[in-house]
Amino acid sequence: MSDPSSAYFDIRNDLADRLLKASHQLAGVPERDRAAVLAAALDAVPEADRLLRPHTTLFADGDSASSRLAFSCLSAAATFPSATRDQIADLGALTAVLFGMDDIADSVAGDWSDADVDAFFGRIKGVLSGSEPSPEPGPEPGSGPGGATGDAGPMAAALSAWRAWCARFRAHPGAAAHTPSLLGQLDLAGTAMALERRWAIGGEPWPGYDRYLANGGLTILYRTWWAAALGVCGPEPARTEHWAAIEPATALGAECMRLANDLRTFERERREGKPNSVLILERAGTGTEAAVERVSAHIAELNAAFDAELRRLPAELAGVVEGQRRSVAFNGAWYMARDTHAYTVRELAEDARSESHG
């Protein structure tokens, strides 16, 4: 986002801070690995930044309060601490680009309808598959109040960053094998995000808890990220069957992430009128504190099922198993402590220095 003072990024969930058990933001990273993870993330930032920097309409400077650049590289490094600098940079940039897509689907960046979101993801898939039509002259389709149009708009920025990322992705040996799975996940995510937009704007009534969570497991984009991550850091030789093997565990990990995110963001989403697991329970008559406790208990149940599914995976996927455990642990603990924005590259550098001297 180009406006670091955006009201969206200024909203803090003080109620969540009071109700949730205090957590250190790096509690999900094994203590022995923290210095190396922070250093690897910081090392990857310049490369990821090079991909995002031309698209400031959507991706803020790394020292802006609305940037997720530092968090995105840190999340990638926490997931694959032994990966190369380029791999961490590519996965960090992917995380930031997915955040940008989510900001569009949520009308944080611009003001969009569910049809706009659906069309946008059609173009996203076209970029990856190589079937993207030539852009038509004129403003971006569906840009409305608060959404810039034409080449300067957020959709154009997201598409341009995505094209650059896809070019890097195709250079990885596993990319070709895992592109079909990534396309499938983008298709599911786009449909789910359009539905979420309809719920938010009143086009459909809010769902019940179970339907919301099933959809939210797609919109959190964890499944999409892992379909791509197989092409970047998956086992070699890459095989299409790898995604089918990890999909059940990945779906559970995604639901863990969705609920953890909901605990952090329910106060902001209350103001925005968007569905959230805590708010859905409130509407059903549950008090806020009890709703937070129920969602927290459900995360614990899902984590147990997630771990059981990971244990069933074959030895050739050991690196993915470890990465998924690390990813859910890191992100879950982070959400208990803070949101994903307002963590700057400067703060990441300070944390890396502090940990290396500790």
Side-chain angles (χ1 to χ4, degrees):
M1 297 290 294
S2 57
D3 179 12
S5 64
S6 166
Y8 173 87
F9 293 103
D10 286 341
I11 297 173
R12 298 290 181 266
N13 195 341
D14 296 330
L15 182 57
D17 289 336
R18 180 172 64 81
L19 294 177
L20 297 174
K21 294 179 180 178
S23 174
H24 185 278
Q25 65 193 36
L26 294 178
V29 180
E31 194 167 351
R32 67 182 182 277
D33 296 337
R34 287 179 189 170
V37 164
L38 288 161
L42 187 62
D43 189 43
V45 161
E47 190 66 27
D49 185 51
R50 270 192 285 275
L51 187 147
L52 300 172
R53 186 171 289 276
H55 316 294
T56 53
T57 303
L58 189 61
F59 305 105
D61 178 84
D63 281 320
S64 162
S66 55
S67 174
R68 280 89 159 230
L69 174 63
F71 171 83
S72 295
C73 290
L74 181 56
S75 180
T79 301
F80 290 113
S82 299
T84 67
R85 178 177 183 267
D86 283 350
Q87 287 172 322
I88 292 171
D90 284 353
L91 291 176
L94 170 65
T95 305
V97 171
L98 293 179
F99 271 126
M101 293 180 191
D102 185 57
D103 284 346
I104 289 168
D106 276 349
S107 284
V108 173
D111 188 7
W112 314 100
S113 70
D114 57 307
D116 294 329
V117 172
D118 191 57
F120 172 61
F121 271 86
R123 296 183 68 186
I124 290 292
K125 289 182 292 180
V127 171
L128 179 62
S129 67
S131 62
E132 182 188 20
S134 299
E136 297 180 4
E140 292 177 13
S143 53
T149 61
D151 291 339
M155 280 192 179
L159 285 162
S160 185
W162 178 241
R163 288 185 198 101
W165 186 85
C166 287
R168 291 182 64 101
F169 176 65
R170 293 184 187 105
H172 290 280
H178 295 299
T179 293
S181 298
L182 179 53
L183 283 167
Q185 291 308 304
L186 286 167
D187 186 57
L188 291 170
T191 299
M193 285 182 156
L195 177 57
E196 213 168 64
R197 187 94 285 268
R198 288 198 294 279
W199 290 336
I201 63 180
E204 288 188 25
W206 277 23
Y209 182 93
D210 291 341
R211 186 182 178 210
Y212 165 80
L213 181 56
N215 198 72
L218 296 168
T219 62
I220 197 68
L221 297 175
Y222 180 81
R223 292 166 59 116
T224 302
W225 193 93
W226 271 98
L230 280 177
V232 178
C233 287
E236 296 181 14
R239 295 191 291 115
T240 56
E241 294 84 359
H242 290 156
W243 172 254
I246 73 166
E247 188 171 13
T250 307
L252 289 165
E255 293 190 351
C256 292
M257 297 268 282
R258 165 51 63 200
L259 293 180
N261 174 276
D262 281 5
L263 290 176
R264 174 50 49 191
T265 61
F266 71 83
E267 196 63 27
R268 178 169 67 225
E269 287 166 341
R270 186 198 307 283
R271 301 187 200 185
E272 296 170 329
K274 296 175 182 175
N276 172 297
S277 57
V278 173
L279 305 182
I280 287 169
L281 291 174
E282 283 184 348
R283 284 194 175 194
T286 305
T288 302
E289 187 165 352
V292 168
E293 289 176 357
R294 179 170 165 185
V295 171
S296 298
H298 195 185
I299 292 172
E301 293 171 9
L302 288 168
N303 263 312
F306 172 64
D307 185 65
E309 281 293 337
L310 289 176
R311 291 177 185 276
R312 295 189 180 100
L313 292 175
E316 69 173 312
L317 291 169
V320 174
V321 168
E322 180 67 13
Q324 291 229 17
R325 282 203 181 101
R326 286 176 175 271
S327 182
V328 169
F330 166 76
N331 285 282
W334 188 277
Y335 279 128
M336 294 305 102
R338 62 187 297 173
D339 213 326
T340 54
H341 57 265
Y343 182 66
T344 66
V345 172
R346 187 177 297 111
E347 287 177 88
L348 172 61
E350 290 170 358
D351 287 345
R353 282 194 296 271
S354 175
E355 195 66 38
S356 68
H357 295 146

